[in-house]
Amino acid sequence: MIGINILWVADSILILVSGWFQPTALGIAFVLAQAAVVAVVTELEVIGLKKSTPVEVEAAALRL
């Protein structure tokens, strides 16, 4: 999921800078806002992944 989110952010920015579309000011603001939200969610996923423990280790600890 993290990789897809990174791709989403990159593609959102690419759409704006490539000139493929000519969005209005509101469209530009919307694309940038949703890219920022997806970037924040991605960062939270990365932080959560770093803080999590593997299921096997957790299951072994519960058996002790």
Side-chain angles (χ1 to χ4, degrees):
M1 200 62 183
I2 292 171
I4 293 171
N5 288 347
I6 293 169
L7 183 62
W8 183 281
V9 172
D11 283 347
S12 296
I13 295 169
L14 180 64
I15 283 174
L16 294 178
V17 299
S18 68
W20 293 337
F21 300 99
Q22 298 299 324
T24 63
L26 182 60
I28 293 170
F30 181 80
V31 171
L32 290 175
Q34 62 86 23
V37 169
V38 172
V40 168
V41 169
T42 303
E43 182 62 25
L44 293 173
E45 288 178 345
V46 169
I47 290 169
L49 188 61
K50 287 180 180 178
K51 289 186 177 184
S52 67
T53 59
V55 174
E56 297 82 27
V57 172
E58 192 172 304
L62 291 175
R63 283 184 257 172
L64 294 176

